[in-house]
Amino acid sequence: MVESVQVELDELYALSTAILTRSGFSGAHAAAISEMLSTCQIDDCQSHGLFRLLMCCQTMRGGKIDGHILPVVEASDSAIVRVDARGGMSLLAVEAGMPLLIEKTRSYGIAAMAINRCFHFSALWPEVEQLSAAGLAGLAMVPSHSWVAPAGGKRGTLGTNPLAFSWPRQNQTPFTFDFATSGFARGEIELYLRAGKPLPEGVAVDAEGNPTTDPQAALDGAMLTFGGYKGSALSIMIELMAGPLIDDLTSMESMAFAEGTGGAPYHGEIILAFDPDHFSGGRVADNDARAERLFADILDQGARLPSQRRFEARARNTARGYVEMPAALHAELTAMLD
């Protein structure tokens, strides 16, 4: 059993900010990253919480990221928002472009934001939940590094290529999902390695293309998509939508750009937003009720909605004022400030 420690909620943000600024990120970048990491940790999203500080610092040591550069939101009369991250982390670019994306979506009914030239490591659900909090439906996707073999293949060509969606609900938490199109997220495999646990069958192959449950062999080999050819096709779609469509890199190109330095992948991101008022012809209330009948029937069968556990964790941790995280990770992070 992994030993854990209790960490107060205020310490999450303070610890993250201190580590990031010492690593070389500006106050603005450190704040945006720390907000994301703290949010994920409070929701018990261990693979995308403070554990990701290790990747952020590794990215800075790699020497390719600019920890101080500010993003530029490009002027546009269309329903497309373009934000140039200029070689910085993605989160400040998303923060800069999100208000305009919401404004354009309410004007046009549908709008998209393309983030270019960014380093990306973070969960997507906090971004699409900004849209659902504004009463919009949101869809986001990114490539990564070519760590994942296509169905029928033996070497990494695709990224973990996550897809996130959030649907607004009145007076309650949204319907949200965020998952990698690989069988496991890369961060999950790293956590299995740290815990000394074998992987489930069917999520990775070793460097020779043979099935493996060894986390290190998986990291040295290739991950697999979920759902065989179906997951592989979705992953390829994300490569195209968040790569060539927006004039940015595929996962193979991102891996080549890194030149073995490690850290966060460098590529683009696309976020799509939809206004239910426009799409439903103003009949939002009637169609909210239709959606709620769908959710109710799912729950009536004893099934869960995506993110339900995460929302329960958020409520629990917020009420008690602390989270539990692995003691070894907390010790490793605090030692970074010595």
Side-chain angles (χ1 to χ4, degrees):
M1 181 144 180
V2 177
E3 182 183 357
S4 63
V5 295
Q6 296 178 359
V7 183
E8 294 185 358
L9 302 188
D10 289 345
E11 184 187 341
L12 296 173
Y13 186 87
L15 178 60
S16 298
T17 303
I19 290 173
L20 290 165
T21 52
R22 176 169 291 194
S23 175
F25 288 95
S26 68
H29 276 287
I33 297 169
S34 296
E35 182 66 29
M36 169 69 76
L37 298 180
S38 300
T39 297
C40 290
Q41 196 72 48
I42 291 169
D43 282 14
D44 280 354
C45 185
Q46 301 288 345
S47 64
H48 286 76
L50 269 64
F51 169 66
R52 292 287 176 155
L53 285 167
L54 303 177
M55 175 178 275
C56 291
C57 294
Q58 182 186 26
T59 304
M60 184 59 73
R61 290 194 300 271
K64 289 181 175 290
I65 192 171
D66 189 326
H68 289 256
I69 199 76
L70 295 177
V72 173
V73 180
E74 299 178 5
S76 168
D77 294 329
S78 73
I80 298 173
V81 179
R82 296 190 66 89
V83 186
D84 184 357
R86 304 170 68 203
M89 204 64 88
S90 67
L91 295 172
L92 207 56
V94 173
E95 186 179 291
M98 186 63 74
L100 185 56
L101 175 61
I102 292 172
E103 177 186 322
K104 285 182 178 291
T105 306
R106 287 178 174 153
S107 296
Y108 294 102
I110 183 171
M113 177 161 65
I115 309 290
N116 291 110
R117 298 201 297 161
C118 68
F119 287 85
H120 190 281
F121 72 93
S122 50
L124 295 177
W125 60 259
E127 297 172 3
V128 292
E129 285 187 1
Q130 290 182 55
L131 293 170
S132 59
L136 309 174
L139 184 69
M141 58 194 88
V142 291
S144 59
H145 277 343
S146 51
W147 291 314
V148 182
K154 294 186 176 181
R155 66 175 182 271
T157 299
L158 308 172
T160 53
N161 297 6
L163 176 71
F165 173 78
S166 192
W167 173 271
R169 301 176 69 191
Q170 293 296 318
N171 303 315
Q172 54 189 313
T173 53
F175 172 89
T176 304
F177 67 75
D178 178 0
F179 54 76
T181 48
S182 54
F184 261 38
R186 185 80 171 180
E188 287 180 299
I189 294 180
E190 291 167 347
L191 289 177
Y192 269 71
L193 179 63
R194 292 173 68 90
K197 294 166 53 180
L199 296 170
E201 299 279 354
V203 301
V205 294
D206 63 20
E208 305 302 318
N210 301 309
T212 184
T213 59
D214 181 340
Q216 187 59 61
L219 294 173
D220 294 338
M223 303 157 67
L224 300 176
T225 60
F226 76 84
Y229 287 93
K230 295 178 181 179
S232 186
L234 277 175
S235 184
I236 296 168
M237 179 198 75
I238 292 168
E239 291 281 346
L240 299 173
M241 293 288 289
L245 179 69
I246 63 170
D247 186 32
D248 222 309
L249 305 186
T250 64
S251 296
M252 288 195 302
E253 291 170 323
S254 175
M255 183 77 91
F257 174 85
E259 298 178 312
T261 57
Y266 175 78
H267 47 67
E269 175 180 0
I270 187 168
I271 303 176
L272 305 171
F274 311 84
D275 186 349
D277 186 55
H278 279 263
F279 275 90
S280 69
R283 294 180 289 277
V284 174
D286 289 345
N287 287 286
D288 279 347
R290 176 174 283 133
E292 290 305 318
R293 289 193 294 273
L294 170 66
F295 298 144
D297 195 66
I298 293 169
L299 295 171
D300 184 61
Q301 301 174 54
R304 283 178 173 267
L305 296 178
S307 292
Q308 194 171 330
R309 286 191 178 93
R310 182 168 60 79
F311 293 135
E312 290 168 356
R314 179 187 302 175
R316 180 179 63 251
N317 292 333
T318 301
R320 67 187 184 179
Y322 67 86
V323 299
E324 294 182 353
M325 62 186 301
L329 174 61
H330 186 257
E332 185 175 355
L333 293 177
T334 54
M336 294 170 72
L337 298 175
D338 292 340

